[in-house]
Amino acid sequence: MSVDIRPVGDRALLVELPDLDRVLALHDELSAHPGPGQLEVLAAATTVLVRADTPASARALAEHVRGLDLEHAADRDDTLVDIEVCYDGEDLDAVAELTSMSRDGVIAAHTGQLWTAAFGGFAPGFAYCVGENHLLDVARRPSPRTAVPAGAVGLAGEFSAAYPRTTPGGWQLIGRTAAPLWDAARPSPALVVPGNRVRYVAVREAATVVDPEPVTAAAAPEAGGLVVVATGMQSLLTDLGRPGHADLGVAESGAMDRGSARLANAVAGNPPGAAVIENLAGGLVVRAAGHRTVAVAGARVPLRVDPPEGADRPPWIPERNSPILLDDGDTLTLGAPTAGLRSYLAVRGGFEAPLVLSSASTDVMSGLGPAPLAAGDLLAVGVPVWNAAGSPGAQVTPLPEGHARIRLRPGPRDDWFDAGALDSLTSQEWVISNESNRIGLRLEGEPLRRRRQGELASEPTVAGAVQVPTGGLPVVFMRDHPVTGGYPVIGVVEPADLDVLAQLPPESTIRFSLM
């Protein structure tokens, strides 16, 4: 098969196909029969993203894809799902005008055909559904809404979908549903998965849907563990993430600085993927309920241990990257960083927390995982599975101090930019904006210029993708990024350098260098 395969960094590839049928055929084939080293496959309107475990696997997957016969689609789960809709959307009249129909005609066209869930993306439980005809093909709104309410049902291009939770969006809203589109407690959390058939059913009323509350990580009062006294700017539970669920609209998430999280666990005597606390900019204070061994890695923060009031022991200063023995009632304080931004606190045995798709990570964009920590939370601790703290071989990565050089691989959409764009990207010093977070780092500098204008069909993307909106200022996708995006990606950051970016506070500067 002749296809256009574009590298996305060195461990993923973007396969561009001539039509949606071929997209779905490739997606279904790779889902049913994974290629060598395949980690994940995600479809979009005209492209399929394939993630691999190593650069060698990515090259092998590219050859594997070229040899596939996509003339015959694989079997899909075509379960019929009924979704009740109250047709009172804000854009119903606009859609009627765009399609030269009446309001009732739009409703009849929407309910009078079966829709097929082609692919997921954008948000957990959000399914892009394709109809049997093109009567309701409409463009997105010229200006996206900053908040589309949970349960809203909309149209965009040839697709229809319902929003599982409140998110920004530019779709034309024609109604709302109370259907439980996403429930992490179900064996299959998404109500609609790729391949399902969807029938929209008109009803007079629909309950107002509210965003689901995040699960709590707090333990029962009688349990031992660590008590959160103060959180600082932000403290979250995290681990190494939940890869493999992009089809459901779920990003991998996990620790922003993977190396520091692994180091904290190694020093505490845990497996690499045990849950830890990720603290932003210091200010975290915890008190031991029982005798605990902990470790702090990541940002260079001053540490202090205070014994309980009345104890005949003085305060003391422990070291980062070393085991810290806390007696019952001792309080550990993390001060403001003198280098770096994020610290990781591990406890021997790991923190116990409810798992969502096999991970305790808090995803700030999708709302999956435990709620952000709050003062008064008592965090339960698991049973140690290793024999000793201070694992040999744990390595400390040097922290950036206000500036870093970041390695970048061009593509997959560098051809959307003019000849000087890559030179501009690599020659100037970019400033990290104050609006940066776990979703993405916004960069300030001289805008990049496009060669191609217009809208790029939403396509899958990865952590480290440097996406360039129409204004020309790049955004580096971080751990909680959306799994699809509608702006061209000029390059992808080397995976190891994401840890470096995670430790750069706002107003720091970076320079990109091509690999």
Side-chain angles (χ1 to χ4, degrees), residues 469-493:
T470 52
L473 294 179
V475 178
V476 184
F477 277 178
M478 300 301 286
R479 300 297 183 186
D480 292 353
H481 68 93
V483 298
T484 59
Y487 297 114
V489 171
I490 193 171
V492 179
V493 169

Side-chain angles (χ1 to χ4, degrees), residues 240 261-262 264-266 268-276 346-350 383-386:
L240 297 183
R262 289 189 179 99
N265 270 323
N270 295 331
V276 298
V347 60
R348 190 176 183 214
V383 177
V385 295
W386 288 8

